[in-house]
Amino acid sequence: MKNLNFFLIIFLIIGFSQIKSEEKNDELKIKILKNIRCLICQGQSVYDSESDFASSIKLIVDRKIESGITEDQIYDFLREKYGDWVIYDPKLNKNTYFLWLLPLLLFLVGGAIIVKNLIFKK
Amino acid sequence: MKNKINLVILFIFIIFCFIIFFKGLNNSNIYTPINNVEKNLPIFKARDFISNTHIDSANIFAEESYYIVNIWASWCAPCRKEHPLLMELQKNKSIKLIGLNYKDNLNNAKKFINELGNPYTKILIDKDGTLSVEFGAYGVPETFLINKDKKIIKKYVGPINQKIVQEIKLIVK
């Protein structure tokens, strides 16, 4: 009876950890799919799209997650096939310097104008 | 004086915005991935259309010749339109055509080939569309030109036309 209890507990622990890891994979999958742009229904993410392209990408992301490939590696794979544009959140590289640094520049210039005006008023 | 400078700066800014938006009007808002960058041929395993056995990509592209990979489906109307041009390309001795049957019903695909002719030396089955993604395709039809170094050197989105056929013939000359 003791043995039976022991095996039951082990079985439950394994079962729960399996469910937990599947949940984790699902969350990761949704996060990745929401960050990929559908090239057929442009303006929609692959997650929202029902196009043939989106369904193939969903399958590929699923398989890659299951085989233990990381989120960044999946993005790199898609970027190599379709270019930076396919990812909603683009990486910082020579094509995206302007995109990433412009808001910062505007913030600094705006801040400088405000500070200058405040000091000037005083 | 200061007001005048501000006015000039504002004017230049408005002109700048106008030029940007005016230029933007002519740009297509549909993104197409960069087509003419050399890419390595993907490594994959696929099912053969005729023999129904699995083949490695290394065996498919084994010969030292130019290859054309054409993604097609029997349900795709533009594929029907471009088919005579593929038949024409097939006559060229320095090109081998590989067909990628995209998300298709096998019987319909066979009917399509029987009716219009088979320009391909090999046809691969891409039942779930994942093989096309390996090539960087996102629809049908799409055509890829692969050189003798096994690099994808050209990608044509949509049906090919006479101009593209001439371009391909010039490259493989």
Side-chain angles (χ1 to χ4, degrees), chain A residues 42-99:
Chain A
Q42 300 198 350
Q44 262 190 324
S45 72
V46 164
Y47 180 79
D48 294 320
S49 172
E50 288 295 325
S51 70
D52 276 332
F53 171 75
S55 65
S56 305
I57 295 286
K58 281 174 192 167
L59 260 175
I60 282 184
V61 169
D62 217 14
R63 283 180 198 164
K64 288 208 184 282
I65 291 175
E66 265 172 35
S67 61
I69 287 172
T70 64
E71 188 180 349
D72 279 342
Q73 282 172 319
I74 294 174
Y75 291 149
D76 285 343
F77 168 81
L78 290 168
R79 211 175 273 129
E80 192 222 319
K81 303 289 175 202
Y82 299 107
D84 278 329
W85 204 78
V86 78
I87 310 294
Y88 271 111
D89 190 8
K91 259 190 177 173
L92 183 66
N93 61 32
K94 70 175 187 331
N95 293 327
T96 56
Y97 279 150
F98 190 64
L99 183 73

Side-chain angles (χ1 to χ4, degrees), chain A:
Chain A
M1 192 64 190
K2 244 184 182 177
N3 267 349
L4 192 72
N5 279 347
F6 176 73
F7 281 119
L8 200 68
I9 288 167
I10 294 287
F11 180 73
L12 282 175
I13 289 172
I14 292 172
F16 277 125
S17 63
Q18 191 79 25
I19 292 170
K20 204 75 193 149
S21 80
E22 267 172 29
E23 255 176 34
K24 218 175 157 189
N25 276 354
D26 277 351
E27 272 172 28
L28 179 67
K29 185 185 163 190
I30 290 171
K31 188 187 162 207
I32 293 173
L33 293 180
K34 281 186 174 173
N35 195 18
I36 305 171
R37 201 187 295 265
C38 178
L39 295 181
I40 302 294
C41 325
Q42 300 198 350
Q44 262 190 324
S45 72
V46 164
Y47 180 79
D48 294 320
S49 172
E50 288 295 325
S51 70
D52 276 332
F53 171 75
S55 65
S56 305
I57 295 286
K58 281 174 192 167
L59 260 175
I60 282 184
V61 169
D62 217 14
R63 283 180 198 164
K64 288 208 184 282
I65 291 175
E66 265 172 35
S67 61
I69 287 172
T70 64
E71 188 180 349
D72 279 342
Q73 282 172 319
I74 294 174
Y75 291 149
D76 285 343
F77 168 81
L78 290 168
R79 211 175 273 129
E80 192 222 319
K81 303 289 175 202
Y82 299 107
D84 278 329
W85 204 78
V86 78
I87 310 294
Y88 271 111
D89 190 8
K91 259 190 177 173
L92 183 66
N93 61 32
K94 70 175 187 331
N95 293 327
T96 56
Y97 279 150
F98 190 64
L99 183 73
W100 280 102
L101 298 179
L102 188 67
L104 193 71
L105 199 75
L106 287 178
F107 175 75
L108 288 177
V109 171
I113 291 172
I114 291 169
V115 169
K116 197 190 151 211
N117 276 354
L118 282 179
I119 293 170
F120 196 69
K121 261 188 183 173
K122 270 182 185 174

Side-chain angles (χ1 to χ4, degrees), chain B residues 1-9:
Chain B
M1 185 65 190
K2 204 181 171 192
N3 265 352
K4 262 189 181 173
I5 292 172
N6 280 346
L7 215 68
V8 169
I9 291 174

Side-chain angles (χ1 to χ4, degrees), chain B residues 23-169:
Chain B
K23 283 239 167 207
L25 279 179
N26 297 325
N27 287 350
S28 160
N29 56 1
I30 296 168
Y31 170 80
T32 34
I34 305 156
N35 288 344
N36 297 327
V37 182
E38 272 193 22
K39 279 183 187 165
N40 288 327
L41 202 57
I43 297 162
F44 58 87
K45 225 179 190 155
R47 209 146 52 89
D48 187 81
F49 185 80
I50 313 264
S51 66
N52 212 9
T53 52
H54 280 91
I55 343 168
D56 279 326
S57 55
N59 294 334
I60 298 164
F61 301 99
E63 283 177 49
E64 202 187 294
S65 101
Y66 279 92
Y67 282 91
I68 283 176
V69 173
N70 175 251
I71 301 174
W72 66 281
S74 64
W75 47 263
C76 140
C79 300
R80 199 169 274 272
K81 206 179 119 201
E82 73 169 0
H83 207 81
L85 294 172
L86 293 171
M87 294 299 283
E88 186 188 326
L89 275 173
Q90 171 239 349
K91 289 178 195 149
N92 195 314
K93 290 270 183 292
S94 36
I95 315 172
K96 293 216 164 356
L97 269 90
I98 308 288
L100 218 81
N101 187 231
Y102 180 83
K103 293 190 175 180
D104 207 354
N105 174 300
L106 205 64
N107 288 332
N108 291 346
K110 277 181 182 160
K111 259 187 225 161
F112 181 95
I113 288 292
N114 289 338
E115 188 189 324
L116 299 171
N118 183 7
Y120 309 109
T121 43
K122 232 174 206 25
I123 304 176
L124 309 170
I125 300 174
D126 186 15
K127 197 81 190 154
D128 54 15
T130 50
L131 194 54
S132 307
V133 172
E134 291 288 341
F135 276 92
Y138 56 94
V140 263
E142 273 192 40
T143 306
F144 300 85
L145 181 63
I146 294 145
N147 70 6
K148 289 176 183 172
D149 298 327
K150 307 290 173 271
K151 296 244 192 252
I152 301 172
I153 51 169
K154 287 269 175 193
K155 173 182 173 180
Y156 304 102
V157 178
I160 57 167
N161 50 37
Q162 198 60 48
K163 201 178 146 206
I164 293 173
V165 170
Q166 292 312 322
E167 189 186 311
I168 292 174
K169 280 181 178 170

